[in-house]
Amino acid sequence: MKFDYLIVGAGFSGCVMAERISSILGKRVLIVEQRNHIAGNAYDYFDENGVLVHKFGPHIFHTNSKKVWDYLSAYTEWIPYYHRVLGMLDGEMVPIPFNLNSLNILFPSTKAKAIENALLEQFKLGDKITILQLQNNKNKQLQNLADYIYEKVFHGYTVKQWGLRPEELDASVTGRVPILISRDNRYFQDKYQAMPKHGYTEMFRRMLKSPNIKLLLNTDYKEILADVQFNKLIFTGPIDMYFEYKFGQLPYRSLRFEFEFHNKEEFQEAGQINYPNEYEFTRITEFKKLTHQKNILGTTIAREYPEVYKKGINDPYYPVPKKEYREQYILYENEAQTIKDKVIFAGRLAEYKYYNMDQIVARALHLFEKEINTEKDNKE
Amino acid sequence: MKFDYLIVGAGFSGCVMAERISSILGKRVLIVEQRNHIAGNAYDYFDENGVLVHKFGPHIFHTNSKKVWDYLSAYTEWIPYYHRVLGMLDGEMVPIPFNLNSLNILFPSTKAKAIENALLEQFKLGDKITILQLQNNKNKQLQNLADYIYEKVFHGYTVKQWGLRPEELDASVTGRVPILISRDNRYFQDKYQAMPKHGYTEMFRRMLKSPNIKLLLNTDYKEILADVQFNKLIFTGPIDMYFEYKFGQLPYRSLRFEFEFHNKEEFQEAGQINYPNEYEFTRITEFKKLTHQKNILGTTIAREYPEVYKKGINDPYYPVPKKEYREQYILYENEAQTIKDKVIFAGRLAEYKYYNMDQIVARALHLFEKEINTEKDNKE
Ligand SMILES: Cc1cc2nc3c(=O)[nH]c(=O)nc-3n(C[C@H](O)[C@H](O)[C@H](O)COP(=O)(O)OP(=O)(O)OC[C@H]3O[C@@H](n4cnc5c(N)ncnc54)[C@H](O)[C@@H]3O)c2cc1C
Ligand SMILES: Cc1cc2nc3c(=O)[nH]c(=O)nc-3n(C[C@H](O)[C@H](O)[C@H](O)COP(=O)(O)OP(=O)(O)OC[C@H]3O[C@@H](n4cnc5c(N)ncnc54)[C@H](O)[C@@H]3O)c2cc1C
């Protein structure tokens, strides 16, 4: 078969580029996807009870980029949704990220008031600060607050999430734990926050409508590489796999989801509840809270269990945030540079980096403009 | 790309053969499907309200073949379901096919009793007879009943369904209208009657699990034919298209479905209600009645409007049952014979024939044994 572009992976990275290439350049694209569905890790589907669930963990769309918002809006309508996360701390459910409300729920009121005043003396209402800023603070009360949050919100969750003690991770991760100087209980503060009205998968389906886009499912790209002709490869799979692990396997953390249907109106108070300290799972998602599905009796939840990633057994989810692994990745990146006229590496697996969906869309649009739609540049 | 078999079409015909070829022979198959989904006309999906609906009209599984039942049972569990159809006749809802209950609802009781007795004198309780048997009957009462059923149940429905008067269709169609000499209100009397527990599409997904089966969606086979290497082609698309309409286009009837969500428990009394005489649509299906989905508030229905088939505009559904078209098909069939070592034609479009799902599965299994799994025959 002959195509202008062969794209490996039908996630956001692959599908956005396929859409651009077919509709802006009118060129022919073959997308090869090893799974039996499109949408990558954003894949959602209706389970046997009619509840729209996210197969690979809860995906909440949020962005400050009007460009990304406008782009995706061509393929979906939206349902406004503000994500709220509660954390189970000392037997109380408190807003996460930790904010002034969390403070008031957890501490005796005089103490809470005093800390609140100390915070407001140094920071503006509405500021999003990091735990590092409190740890390094001269105010003893704020140092103590930092210790409390580190201990109760961060430490246990991190150990479960990564299977590592915080000290073993990059300092940047540890220092980045956010604290909100406000009573804003939303998990995100982005300008655009919403869920695609008919689900992510349907949004992808509409992106891929062009007759110039062919979609080969159930297929690892290596199985067909020798038999397809194309001018350029866009690779959104794992970069270490592309180079046959010549510099070793890049470490990932994996996840296991335990889905459960409950015959009741509501399972929990918020779309997501984190359990930093109890149980083996890190969080429970209740999908109806995210999607506002109104007409279903009963509700489906998922418990999320972090796991060691084992190639061929489970899926790679999160790159492990350690400097040495990033350095290992750089070896691959350098290798990729040597073939950049033939292969574009893009996406969370190809760049060994956690990206939010909006970032990955922005990146795909950017790559399209910079690396692919170059004739236009020449003309200008 | 190199495959042992190239299969055109991901409906029952194509998928059953793909499954057999990959799992029994361990050979490599590429399925090419022009739509963006598997399951052919049996495709179902959850609509935006979480109701499992059938995109191409209500599909009820029924068979007397233990072989077909056992085969499909490897890929799905089942929900027992007896299909009931009511017809709106003279403002009353009566069981279809016309049976002794229909008689008693529509006629004054003494008259109904008399006709019932006349029927039971000539036929056994439980018999399924044809309208032809009544039309040719010596008993005047039964002739009148035949006229009544022809007029009220058959005539209007046929004109809507085919856009033709009954006289213009094959006599076999007209004569075949069934009448049930019983109080059995079920539409089918088959030994196995059920719906796949997780839907048809999920059943297909499980059929296609083998790594030997690759699935190319959004693609007309002609687009890739020149670039794929294979030993044998299995073609389940329209046979006239395969031969580039050299003997003219085979006439089909098409359908348009109007889906509608209602915010109530139940829309109608039965899974299917036929309107032989009123409205432009022929029938209304209420999907929850078929699938027994219990936990959805509200219900989705579809009104079914027969239409003229126009190539490229809508889909071919039913071959028009006229002798001259069958003869036209025979020209294609003869042509197919001349290339039978290279191409197997199978399925409702390739054979220009209405088949129920169980028949098409039986046929695919048979073709596999007879035409494909021939090494086994040699060994025996
Ligand atoms: C648990 C979890 C929760 C998340 N929640 C959010 C959220 O709330 N909000 C948000 O903005 N972002 C969220 N994300 C991030 C989001 O999932 C990513 O931004 C997005 O999926 C990245 O898209 P991608 O196309 O780069 O990668 P992917 O979606 O992973 O797509 C890559 C595709 O390539 C395929 N592939 C890989 N190797 C091969 C091969 N050899 N041959 C063929 N195909 C191959 C894979 O099967 C996959 O489908 C979350 C991520 C995770 C893990
Ligand atoms: C309205 C309606 C209701 C029905 N209800 C019932 C029922 O209740 N019970 C029952 O047993 N049966 C029912 N049937 C019959 C059932 O749909 C068929 O038996 C079954 O779909 C036949 O399967 P198939 O694989 O032969 O054809 P299809 O399911 O039509 O599959 C053929 C596939 O080939 C694809 N294709 C065609 N041309 C090309 C091309 N050039 N390139 C690539 N792909 C191509 C098509 O897109 C299609 O997906 C019903 C049929 C209709 C129309």
Side-chain angles (χ1 to χ4, degrees), chain A residues 1-2 36 46-50 198 205 208 214-219 223-224 227 295-297, chain B residues 1-2 36 46-50 198 205 208 214-219 223-224 227 261 295-297:
Chain A
M1 292 199 264
K2 293 182 205 76
N36 67 356
F46 289 88
D47 70 11
E48 66 188 67
N49 298 298
H198 306 286
R205 213 170 268 139
L208 302 184
K214 306 300 170 197
L215 177 64
L216 183 59
L217 295 179
N218 292 355
T219 310
E223 299 179 72
I224 55 110
D227 305 303
N295 65 319
I296 309 287
L297 296 171
Chain B
M1 292 198 265
K2 293 181 204 79
N36 67 357
F46 289 87
D47 70 11
E48 66 187 67
N49 299 297
H198 306 286
R205 212 169 268 142
L208 302 184
K214 306 301 169 194
L215 177 65
L216 183 60
L217 296 178
N218 292 355
T219 311
E223 299 179 71
I224 56 112
D227 305 303
F261 179 73
N295 65 318
I296 310 286
L297 296 171

Side-chain angles (χ1 to χ4, degrees), chain B residues 12-13 33 41 58-60 221 241 318 348 354-355 357:
Chain B
F12 269 107
S13 301
E33 168 58 57
N41 273 12
H59 277 68
I60 290 93
Y221 84 105
M241 176 230 241
Y318 299 108
R348 62 174 196 98
Y354 181 84
Y355 283 114
M357 294 181 282

Side-chain angles (χ1 to χ4, degrees), chain B residues 10-268:
Chain B
F12 269 107
S13 301
C15 290
V16 168
M17 284 194 267
E19 184 283 319
R20 291 284 85 184
I21 291 168
S22 72
S23 64
I24 303 293
L25 305 180
K27 296 208 166 156
R28 279 170 58 87
V29 177
L30 176 66
I31 306 180
V32 186
E33 168 58 57
Q34 66 189 3
R35 293 172 175 160
N36 67 357
H37 59 75
I38 56 173
N41 273 12
Y43 177 65
D44 54 12
Y45 66 99
F46 289 87
D47 70 11
E48 66 187 67
N49 299 297
V51 183
L52 183 61
V53 301
H54 297 182
K55 180 158 183 182
F56 304 100
H59 277 68
I60 290 93
F61 185 79
H62 58 100
T63 190
N64 285 312
S65 160
K66 180 165 172 2
K67 187 174 172 185
V68 167
W69 176 257
D70 287 345
Y71 174 76
L72 292 178
S73 298
Y75 306 102
T76 190
E77 299 146 79
W78 300 95
I79 299 170
Y81 172 68
Y82 291 123
H83 194 46
R84 278 158 197 268
V85 177
L86 296 175
M88 172 68 96
L89 306 187
D90 293 342
E92 298 289 337
M93 300 279 196
V94 310
I96 300 286
F98 202 95
N99 67 17
L100 299 183
N101 290 328
S102 319
L103 188 68
N104 280 287
I105 295 170
L106 289 166
F107 292 96
S109 59
T110 45
K111 183 167 179 191
K113 199 85 255 149
I115 301 176
E116 190 170 315
N117 288 339
L119 284 167
L120 288 170
E121 251 166 49
Q122 300 198 25
F123 306 103
K124 275 207 322 291
L125 192 72
D127 275 0
K128 189 176 201 162
I129 65 169
T130 66
I131 199 165
L132 199 68
Q133 288 174 277
L134 293 189
Q135 283 165 332
N136 296 341
N137 210 281
K138 283 153 304 183
N139 183 316
K140 186 75 193 154
Q141 257 182 327
L142 297 191
Q143 283 174 28
N144 288 343
L145 178 65
D147 291 347
Y148 178 89
I149 293 174
Y150 188 91
E151 176 64 24
K152 300 281 181 171
V153 182
F154 182 68
H155 188 273
Y157 200 89
T158 301
V159 170
K160 281 199 259 182
Q161 176 79 343
W162 298 108
L164 296 170
R165 274 165 296 119
E167 310 84 82
E168 297 174 274
L169 294 170
D170 281 1
S172 66
V173 179
T174 328
R176 236 189 283 140
V177 181
I179 292 142
L180 272 185
I181 313 298
S182 77
R183 296 191 179 269
D184 181 348
N185 285 339
R186 298 173 308 167
Y187 194 69
F188 304 113
Q189 277 69 40
D190 299 49
K191 190 158 164 189
Y192 306 95
Q193 303 188 37
M195 300 293 284
K197 183 159 177 203
H198 306 286
Y200 289 100
T201 306
E202 180 59 27
M203 180 171 79
F204 277 82
R205 212 169 268 142
R206 295 184 193 174
M207 268 188 215
L208 302 184
K209 271 231 169 114
S210 160
N212 284 327
I213 303 175
K214 306 301 169 194
L215 177 65
L216 183 60
L217 296 178
N218 292 355
T219 311
D220 189 311
Y221 84 105
K222 280 180 292 183
E223 299 179 71
I224 56 112
L225 196 57
D227 305 303
V228 182
Q229 290 172 39
F230 53 90
N231 293 329
K232 200 150 187 173
L233 180 68
I234 298 177
F235 187 79
T236 79
I239 193 168
D240 51 353
M241 176 230 241
Y242 184 90
F243 291 111
E244 289 167 341
Y245 308 102
K246 65 193 283 188
F247 305 118
Q249 228 185 285
L250 291 170
Y252 277 95
R253 191 69 172 160
S254 190
L255 296 172
R256 180 170 57 82
F257 294 93
E258 206 176 82
F259 288 87
E260 206 172 72
F261 179 73
H262 289 264
N263 229 323
K264 50 183 170 184
E265 184 94 3
E266 172 174 79
F267 180 82
Q268 62 188 23

